[in-house]
Amino acid sequence: MNGRASIIFFPIPSEIYLIFARPNLIITTELGLRTLTAVVYKILNPDVQLTLWLTLSERTERKYGEIRLILRRFIVSRVDHIVVASASAKRYVETF
């Protein structure tokens, strides 16, 4: 370890909000666990539209390993729409 702590936020209430709100459209940001929760909800409710909003760049994503890359490919393949904040984000998404 390089002396820096690694923290992963696990948003437990997200699925509860989705179950009770029963949305027909979900807009989620980035490629973390909340977005994965939204993807699972969409799989279980195929009529739901899922939009992913990304503010990342090719450079910020270089540091992540293979497991996270596999998870991100899974997420990107399941969303209906993707909104990106830069040309670099667009290029990153197109690699999937």
Side-chain angles (χ1 to χ4, degrees):
M1 194 162 199
N2 60 10
R4 293 178 17 197
S6 181
I7 298 172
I8 297 175
F9 174 69
F10 186 73
I12 295 173
S14 295
E15 62 273 6
I16 294 170
Y17 296 140
L18 292 172
I19 290 168
F20 286 108
R22 300 193 50 78
N24 58 5
L25 169 66
I26 301 170
I27 301 172
T28 184
T29 61
E30 305 311 327
L31 293 163
L33 291 173
R34 273 191 198 193
T35 300
L36 182 60
T37 300
V39 167
V40 170
Y41 183 84
K42 179 181 175 40
I43 290 170
L44 297 173
N45 300 277
D47 292 336
V48 171
Q49 291 289 303
L50 181 57
T51 298
L52 177 59
W53 175 29
L54 298 174
T55 59
L56 48 74
S57 72
E58 295 164 300
R59 184 175 181 184
T60 61
E61 300 306 298
R62 282 187 205 149
K63 62 185 174 188
Y64 297 120
E66 189 65 27
I67 292 175
R68 195 170 285 194
L69 186 60
I70 291 167
L71 177 62
R72 288 169 178 222
R73 281 189 181 127
F74 173 77
I75 289 172
V76 168
S77 72
R78 300 303 190 278
V79 299
D80 298 300
H81 312 282
I82 300 175
V83 178
V84 295
S86 68
S88 179
K90 182 177 184 254
R91 285 190 301 270
Y92 178 75
V93 169
E94 288 172 342
T95 65
F96 297 123

